[in-house]
Amino acid sequence: MTPAPPRTDRGRLLLVLALATVVTVFTATVPLLRDWFDLRVYYGSIDSWVHHGGRIYDYRVPGTPYGFTYPPFAAVVMLPMALLDLRTAIAAALLLNLAALALILRLLAGPAWRRHGWYGWALAACVLALFEPLRDTFSFGQVNLLLLALVLTDAALFATGRTRWAGIGIGLAAAIKLTPALFIGLLLVARRWRAAAVAGAVALGATALAASVDPDASRFYWTEALWDTNRVGRLGYVSNQSVQGILARLGEADRAVWAAAVVLVLGVWAQRARRAVAAGDWTAAFALTGLAACLVSPVTWVHHLVWLLPSFAVLIRTGHARIAGALYAVLCTSVVWLWFDDASGVDGFLGSNTYAWITLGLLLWLPAGQQSPDRRTGSRSTSTTAAAPSPAAPAISPASVQPEPASFGTAAVTAGGVAPTGRAAAPDTSREPTGSTRLPASKPQSSSERASSYTAEPPPS
């Protein structure tokens, strides 16, 4: 039998403290911290550029072959780091990531976030602290959560019909890092032409701004650095949980095979995303796009998989909490590192790609265009009258007035597009380095030397 949850505040506090202790011990002993490696790359590149007259893409973290790999606009955005020392930059990165995570959870939880109170959110914090992509994002000093927050802000605008500013977040995210550019593709698939134009214009404008700040860096990035996979890391490294990573571990180096697999993945994504948008389910559409982006990107390190978080929100919303919990638990285990040394054989093929299989399975199976179980059409109360829409997850039409910014996480429009007033809801018309700076060890980012996204040796050409 499952033990009953505590009913008193004292019991709940003791449970939270016990879980927090377990999580702290786990994170302090099992997954060794990444020593802020990616943040050191950003900081060192900006410091060299601003204070020492160096070039952005020439900087290398001492003792490693790794340097800045993002588009030039990312360096422009990071310019404030030039005013900080490294410790202050680390503290600022932690605060920014925490703020971004809070916004992401608020958007995904929706109006129901108030239901859970301190106890529910304390339990959620303990669970989130175990999620390997989140652990790595924080301890590498990565930017994934900030980009996800930008993209999900646009998703919330679409879900609530307030599309005037939609596309700005996606455009900024795509200018900082290339992977979120697939969300512009989502807008095209959804025929949201105005928003797609806004996103494209913002991305191009930001790129042009970076070119005006440092023309040589922009020329080098777009003509050379972008195409040099050696700058990012070894494609067959076990942390690369993309389609390209699977093929590289199989020894398949033919780019035509990878391109064919990418086209197939994008075909499935476009079909499923279009159906989700047609049903007004922007939550699922954005979740599917995040899944596809992780699969088709040449390099998807484990910390990039924070893009899977919206998929878990969709599973929970559609009544598949147990499946969400099981998949989430696997993504907390660091299981892929068991095949760090040897990914050959059937067990290596299956085990070393575990996170990629989860991503692919979610792309194929994730419920899209479905209502939450308590809002299914035709459900009746004991008095045989139709149940009113749940106040925690109201169906929203673009014209409806909300007392507060509504969330796309629980405010998905029904497949029939019925708003609370009874009117039909009108459709809207409108690559990175990981490793350690600890020089004595060859792969010092992991217990058992296994948890870095790269090897410390230069990857093969």
Side-chain angles (χ1 to χ4, degrees), residues 75-269:
V76 173
V77 172
M78 295 177 186
L79 274 174
M81 281 198 296
L83 304 175
L84 310 174
D85 58 61
L86 180 58
R87 290 185 178 181
T88 306
I90 290 173
L94 281 172
L95 292 175
L96 285 172
N97 273 326
L98 286 171
L101 180 59
L103 176 59
I104 290 166
L105 295 177
R106 172 67 179 85
L107 292 172
L108 292 177
W113 71 277
R114 285 196 178 95
R115 287 186 195 168
H116 308 293
W118 71 268
Y119 177 61
W121 287 109
L123 293 180
C126 291
V127 172
L128 287 167
L130 297 174
F131 191 50
E132 185 177 3
L134 273 179
R135 298 195 316 253
D136 281 1
T137 292
F138 275 93
S139 60
F140 276 129
Q142 256 287 336
V143 299
N144 304 310
L145 288 174
L146 301 173
L147 302 181
L148 180 57
L150 284 173
V151 168
L152 292 187
T153 298
D154 271 353
L157 293 176
F158 281 111
T160 56
R162 295 173 290 184
T163 58
R164 180 179 179 182
W165 304 106
I168 294 177
I170 291 173
L172 288 173
I176 294 171
K177 190 173 179 179
L178 296 180
T179 303
L182 187 60
F183 288 90
I184 300 179
L186 172 62
L187 301 181
L188 295 174
V189 166
R191 299 184 179 181
R192 298 307 195 256
W193 311 121
R194 181 182 182 279
V198 169
V202 169
L204 291 175
T207 301
L209 173 63
S212 68
V213 173
D214 193 333
D216 289 339
S218 292
R219 177 198 57 76
F220 177 78
Y221 177 80
W222 296 109
T223 61
E224 297 185 42
L226 174 61
W227 314 103
D228 183 6
T229 57
N230 288 345
R231 295 181 60 90
V232 182
R234 184 162 56 88
L235 295 177
Y237 193 64
V238 73
S239 182
N240 185 11
Q241 292 292 306
S242 67
V243 170
Q244 179 74 287
I246 296 174
L247 294 175
R249 284 186 286 278
L250 286 174
E252 179 55 68
D254 191 340
R255 289 296 183 92
V257 175
W258 172 69
V262 166
V263 169
L264 182 61
V265 168
L266 290 178
V268 173
W269 158 75

Side-chain angles (χ1 to χ4, degrees), residues 17 46 60 88 143 201 209 266 303 362 406:
L17 291 176
I46 299 302
R60 296 291 186 274
T88 306
V143 299
L209 173 63
L266 290 178
H303 55 77
L362 286 171

Side-chain angles (χ1 to χ4, degrees), residues 35 57 149 154 215 241 333 379:
D35 202 26
Y57 297 101
D154 271 353
Q241 292 292 306
T333 61
S379 61

Side-chain angles (χ1 to χ4, degrees), residues 182 189 260-276 285 288-289 291-292 295-296 359-366 368:
L182 187 60
V189 166
V262 166
V263 169
L264 182 61
V265 168
L266 290 178
V268 173
W269 158 75
Q271 182 181 37
R272 300 212 67 215
R274 186 181 296 113
R275 290 179 179 175
L288 290 167
T289 306
L291 295 168
L295 290 169
V296 303
T359 307
L360 180 60
L362 286 171
L363 178 67
L364 296 172
W365 179 82
L366 187 73

Side-chain angles (χ1 to χ4, degrees), residues 115 372 374-375 387-395:
R115 287 186 195 168
S372 56
D374 60 342
R375 302 188 55 220
S390 168

